[in-house]
Amino acid sequence: MTGDAMTRDASYTSNRLRLAVVDMVGTTITDDGRTERAMSRALVEHGIEPGSSKFESMLGYARDTMGFSKMTVFSHLFDDAEVAASANKVFEKAYDEMIDDGGVRAIPGAEDAILWMRESGMQVCLATGFGRHTQNMVLESLGWMGLADLSLCPADAGRGRPYPDMILTAVLALDLDDVREVAVVGDTSSDMVSGIRSGASLIAGVLTGSHSEATLRAAGATVVVDSIKQLPLLVEKREARHL
């Protein structure tokens, strides 16, 4: 690369966001606590007494790490890899049953926000801490297969949040030129940390899920809004500032 080309590249600032990497539970969908209930069942079926200090401590860790790969969470909670894998299977089975009861719903305005982004020329990736099977079950239950350009789970990228792998995998898969063309949207501190680590230019926290505004900002959110339905206005304002 010539000196002039390097200078142009170093001073490059994308005027447009071309990709939104958007979380699922707590950001685009609500499950009314079903994630925690499925987690509780997995703990109980693996010998953790409900209501005990150990149970509350383990469940507390699961709450704090909402957004992480569920397999990673169980690997932390159980030293034995086989037990962790078994607990993850119980979690997935329990969550599947809860999807069947119709308790997983779109957050108001989420689908419209995704459609707006795509119609405005952005690509959208739905990212999750669930395994692929559970993610597909959720998408199918909502009729959302094909709603986004891409869906990713931790296994697709190598590591889940708070690592940036899913975001960077989306950048490569969707052929973006620059990570600064990415917006990351989520309801947990791990969403924000993964956005910071990826180099995304817009890292938006939403208050429809697990973590508070203070927690989201402390983790690196560049902006916090009440809901994903405000994202189109947020993007429009950002684009106007960069014209």
Side-chain angles (χ1 to χ4, degrees), residues 6 11-12 17 29 49 59 76 80-81 99 112 127 139 168 188 192 195 213 219 226 228 237 239-240:
M6 289 177 68
S11 63
Y12 169 75
L17 291 168
I29 66 172
E49 183 68 27
L59 196 57
H76 175 89
D80 187 302
I99 292 171
D112 287 342
L139 292 173
L168 298 178
T188 68
M192 306 300 100
E213 179 173 357
D226 290 336
I228 191 173
K237 285 182 176 179
E239 301 299 300

Side-chain angles (χ1 to χ4, degrees), residues 44-201:
V44 170
E45 290 196 18
H46 287 80
I48 311 301
E49 183 68 27
S52 67
S53 59
K54 186 175 183 180
F55 178 89
E56 294 303 329
S57 174
M58 293 172 88
L59 196 57
Y61 175 79
R63 290 190 193 107
D64 291 342
T65 55
M66 283 293 182
F68 281 42
S69 158
K70 296 300 178 272
M71 188 64 235
T72 298
V73 173
F74 285 118
S75 295
H76 175 89
L77 294 175
F78 295 102
D79 293 333
D80 187 302
E82 288 188 6
V83 174
S86 174
N88 189 60
K89 286 181 180 178
V90 171
F91 169 84
E92 290 185 341
K93 183 175 184 294
Y95 202 87
D96 284 354
E97 293 170 0
M98 293 174 187
I99 292 171
D100 288 341
D101 73 11
V104 177
R105 306 185 308 278
I107 284 174
E111 187 169 339
D112 287 342
I114 292 168
L115 290 171
W116 180 91
M117 285 185 279
R118 295 193 69 184
E119 288 166 3
S120 71
M122 292 176 68
Q123 298 182 90
V124 177
C125 171
L126 289 171
T128 186
F130 288 146
R132 168 53 59 191
H133 168 76
T134 305
Q135 184 179 33
N136 283 347
M137 288 281 288
V138 171
L139 292 173
E140 287 174 4
S141 73
L142 294 170
W144 277 13
M145 287 299 230
L147 176 65
D149 298 275
L150 183 67
S151 65
L152 290 175
C153 68
D156 297 324
R159 297 178 299 182
R161 297 176 292 235
Y163 299 102
D165 299 30
M166 287 195 290
I167 300 166
L168 298 178
T169 297
V171 167
L172 293 170
L174 297 172
D175 199 29
L176 266 69
D177 297 324
D178 195 310
V179 291
R180 290 170 291 183
E181 297 170 341
V182 178
V184 173
V185 189
D187 68 299
T188 68
S189 59
S190 64
D191 293 304
M192 306 300 100
V193 172
S194 67
I196 289 287
R197 290 175 172 177
S198 75
S201 65

